[in-house]
Amino acid sequence: MYGWEMLSFNIHDGFLEAIVRGNRSGLLTAADYNNLCQCENLDDVKMHLTATEYGPYLQNEPSPLHTTTIVEKCTLKLVDEYKHMMCQATEPLCTFLQYITYGHMIDNVVLIVTGTLHERDVNELLEKCHPLGMFDSIASLAVAQNMHELYRLVLVDTPLAPYFSECITSEDLDDMNIEIMRNTLYKAYLEDFYKFCEKLGGATAEIMCDLLSFEADRRAVSITINSIGTELTRDDRRKLYSNFGLLYPYGHEELAVCEDVDQVRGVMEKYPPYQSIFAKISYGESQMLDKAFYEEEVRRLCLSFEQQFHYAVFFAYIRLREQEIRNLMWISECVAQNQKNRVHDSVVFIF
């Protein structure tokens, strides 16, 4: 353990750490998921969730329920908890918590950009944005008349301005480059977050750098698989990989030249931490890869709670809540569409 953190951490951050560790005990258990998977309709799902911490958010919702309503209300609980943490946080925890939301901000900006290209309604776009990725000037992005104006607004008015100025030009903003733009921004964001955590030092740096490295490696695999058979060149693919992580740099060189999923598997099996992930997946079952990565991420996030006096618990708790919401969305969809035989396909148990 790190002596200085033991002496000083609780002065500013001990209260919030206790809050987030208490909130963790409210995450759904395996027994909760088993009960949810037995539900016959969405009203049954609501009835069970009413007995959990989601109760106050769902109890007044009228029937018939929709999956989107359940997801929105569960997300609202996460947003309320995040806002409470932000109100209580002091520096550098405040900046750390802001970094956690930048991924959602990128997704929201990309959604606005895509909608602007296709002349979609502004209010419709804003309703689809993730609430954790909202910022004061996001509405101004939707009133841009063209891509050049949108680029100027992003550079001036958003927290993502440094990532855009370093990586994107106004000529990049077209239909073909939207996903490249998203991955380029994520690369810049992850590298920036990684450097920030390194500067914090101690247990925060040790645990967060490991979690962010895993995220960077997962994105590298995802980019590789999704770009197979596309016009993306090997050099373009390599530029989208983050400049850190277990795969950096030699694994990136091998991934850049992969031409099918089995070659990706061959590269990843050279790295012991990822052998167990690919061992769960038979050849030709690449669609199960996302779930295997989510399961490994959940395991690592839960392990971060085993240490004290660090900021990674805040990152881990928010990620675990997001995974829980993904689980509830999948279960609700399966119940609503009478596909209960598939309900376990994408549920990732947290405990």
Side-chain angles (χ1 to χ4, degrees):
M1 184 51 68
Y2 305 89
W4 175 247
E5 287 160 344
M6 293 178 68
L7 290 171
S8 63
F9 185 89
N10 286 342
I11 297 172
H12 297 293
D13 306 312
F15 171 72
L16 269 184
E17 186 192 21
I19 291 292
V20 80
R21 287 180 183 274
N23 287 344
R24 174 181 176 258
S25 65
L27 292 169
L28 300 180
T29 64
D32 290 319
Y33 284 120
N34 287 332
N35 289 333
L36 286 167
C37 291
Q38 303 301 317
C39 292
E40 296 295 329
N41 53 56
L42 292 184
D43 285 328
D44 290 346
V45 173
K46 172 191 168 184
M47 183 177 68
H48 181 78
L49 290 177
T50 302
T52 70
E53 291 190 357
Y54 293 113
Y57 294 86
L58 286 167
Q59 61 187 7
N60 295 322
E61 289 301 312
S63 297
L65 273 177
H66 300 283
T67 300
T68 52
T69 304
I70 293 174
V71 172
E72 284 173 7
K73 294 302 178 182
C74 293
T75 302
L76 181 60
K77 172 178 169 53
L78 172 61
V79 172
D80 287 344
E81 290 173 339
Y82 175 80
K83 288 180 177 178
H84 176 69
M85 288 190 282
M86 281 296 293
C87 288
Q88 302 290 333
T90 57
E91 290 296 349
L93 178 57
C94 187
T95 300
F96 180 87
L97 291 173
Q98 289 173 343
Y99 267 106
I100 295 175
T101 65
Y102 283 3
H104 293 301
M105 288 185 189
I106 291 171
D107 290 336
N108 287 351
V109 168
V110 170
L111 177 64
I112 297 291
V113 170
T114 307
T116 303
L117 283 170
H118 294 93
E119 301 179 353
R120 298 283 293 277
D121 180 67
V122 173
N123 293 323
E124 180 187 342
L125 293 172
L126 292 175
E127 285 177 5
K128 291 184 177 180
C129 287
H130 195 288
L132 274 183
M134 300 298 280
F135 46 88
D136 292 340
S137 56
I138 191 168
S140 67
L141 301 183
V143 300
Q145 299 299 312
N146 53 59
M147 288 300 103
H148 290 279
E149 187 177 344
L150 183 68
Y151 180 74
R152 180 182 60 78
L153 287 170
V154 169
L155 284 181
V156 172
D157 289 335
T158 79
L160 306 177
Y163 308 143
F164 268 84
S165 62
E166 291 172 12
C167 310
I168 307 292
T169 67
S170 56
E171 287 73 26
D172 290 329
L173 299 179
D174 60 45
D175 258 341
M176 284 187 63
N177 291 321
I178 290 296
E179 282 306 309
I180 294 177
M181 181 182 79
R182 185 200 302 273
N183 286 307
T184 303
L185 291 173
Y186 258 102
K187 173 189 175 181
Y189 156 60
L190 287 175
E191 290 176 355
D192 190 28
F193 197 6
Y194 187 88
K195 290 175 184 174
F196 176 76
C197 291
E198 279 187 320
K199 289 179 182 177
L200 292 177
T204 297
E206 179 185 318
I207 300 170
M208 279 305 303
C209 286
D210 179 68
L211 292 173
L212 292 174
S213 293
F214 177 78
E215 176 70 13
D217 291 343
R218 177 172 66 175
R219 293 192 69 83
V221 173
S222 177
I223 289 166
T224 304
I225 292 175
N226 291 334
S227 63
I228 292 172
T230 67
E231 297 177 2
L232 204 66
T233 67
R234 293 175 179 179
D235 288 337
D236 289 338
R237 188 188 288 178
R238 193 181 293 111
K239 290 176 183 176
L240 298 177
Y241 301 151
S242 299
N243 294 326
F244 66 93
L246 185 62
L247 300 178
Y248 176 76
Y250 303 111
H252 290 173
E253 296 296 326
E254 293 186 77
L255 285 176
V257 300
C258 289
E259 296 179 352
D260 58 48
V261 176
D262 289 339
Q263 289 181 8
V264 174
R265 183 190 190 111
V267 173
M268 298 302 291
E269 286 180 341
K270 296 178 183 177
Y271 297 86
Y274 299 122
Q275 286 178 352
S276 59
I277 294 177
F278 282 83
K280 299 177 183 177
I281 304 164
S282 302
Y283 283 89
E285 291 186 346
S286 58
Q287 69 273 13
M288 298 300 293
L289 187 58
D290 282 344
K291 181 181 180 182
F293 269 114
Y294 279 135
E295 288 174 341
E296 175 63 16
E297 181 186 36
V298 164
R299 186 188 71 81
R300 292 175 182 236
L301 293 171
C302 290
L303 283 176
S304 68
F305 283 90
E306 300 300 315
Q307 290 194 49
Q308 288 182 287
F309 312 118
H310 62 84
Y311 291 163
V313 291
F314 300 97
F315 176 85
Y317 174 71
I318 290 173
R319 284 299 185 93
L320 289 173
R321 273 292 184 200
E322 289 174 346
Q323 179 59 55
E324 185 171 88
I325 292 169
R326 282 194 294 270
N327 289 343
L328 290 173
M329 180 171 67
W330 178 261
I331 291 171
S332 299
E333 275 298 305
C334 288
V335 170
Q337 297 180 25
N338 199 25
Q339 296 285 329
K340 290 176 63 177
N341 58 313
R342 297 189 58 199
V343 76
H344 289 286
D345 288 356
S346 290
V347 174
V348 177
F349 291 94
I350 295 173
F351 294 116

